[in-house]
Amino acid sequence: MPVPRISREDLKSKLDNSDAAARPVVLDVRLKYPYEHSTMKLPGSIRMNDTEQPSLPKDREIVAYDSDPDELVSSRVAGDLIRAGYRASALKGGIVGWID
C-alpha cells in the first residue's frame, strides 16, 4: 500500500494555521542512535519507538518523521497506522527535509 507523504510546507502550514484540536499529531520515529544524537526535534512532536507507544487520537491526522531522507521508518510506521484505522502520512525528506 502506498503511504501518503506530506511536504514540510504543508505540515508547517497545518501546524501554524490550525487550532490545537485540529493540528496534526507529529510522531518522531527516528531510530535510537539518530534520536539520541540529535539536538533537533519538530515542534510539539511525540516520541514513538518500540518501547514508547503513545496513545494516539483517531480523529486527527498523524504525521511521522524520521532521519532518513527516503522516509523508510516513517513510511513503515505510517502504513501500520493506516492499517490500524488512523489517518497517517510520512514527512517527505524526514527531519533533514524539515531543516533544509
Side-chain angles (χ1 to χ4, degrees), residues 6-15 42 63 91 98:
I6 185 170
S7 70
R8 68 178 177 190
E9 295 83 9
D10 288 345
L11 177 58
K12 183 167 180 1
S13 176
K14 288 181 179 193
L15 292 173
L42 267 68
V63 177
L91 177 63
W98 180 268

Side-chain angles (χ1 to χ4, degrees), residues 1 8 13 15 18-20 25 31-33 40 45 49-51 73 75-78 81-82 84 99:
M1 151 191 349
R8 68 178 177 190
S13 176
L15 292 173
S18 300
D19 64 65
V25 174
L31 298 175
K32 183 178 178 173
Y33 185 85
M40 183 67 182
S45 64
N49 61 28
D50 293 336
T51 59
V73 175
S75 61
R76 181 187 51 81
V77 170
L81 289 170
I82 290 167
I99 295 168

Side-chain angles (χ1 to χ4, degrees), residues 24-38:
V25 174
V26 179
L27 292 180
D28 183 333
V29 298
R30 290 178 285 178
L31 298 175
K32 183 178 178 173
Y33 185 85
Y35 176 77
E36 290 178 349
H37 293 89
S38 174

Side-chain angles (χ1 to χ4, degrees), residues 31-100:
L31 298 175
K32 183 178 178 173
Y33 185 85
Y35 176 77
E36 290 178 349
H37 293 89
S38 174
T39 58
M40 183 67 182
K41 167 179 156 173
L42 267 68
S45 64
I46 300 169
R47 178 75 174 137
M48 180 177 173
N49 61 28
D50 293 336
T51 59
E52 298 174 63
Q53 300 285 326
S55 176
L56 300 171
K58 288 213 174 187
D59 63 340
R60 288 172 59 192
E61 180 181 2
I62 298 171
V63 177
Y65 75 92
D66 60 21
S67 56
D68 185 336
D70 294 323
E71 308 100 31
L72 294 177
V73 175
S74 58
S75 61
R76 181 187 51 81
V77 170
D80 291 346
L81 289 170
I82 290 167
R83 284 187 285 285
Y86 293 90
R87 291 182 299 130
S89 61
L91 177 63
K92 283 183 195 173
I95 196 165
V96 175
W98 180 268
I99 295 168
D100 287 343

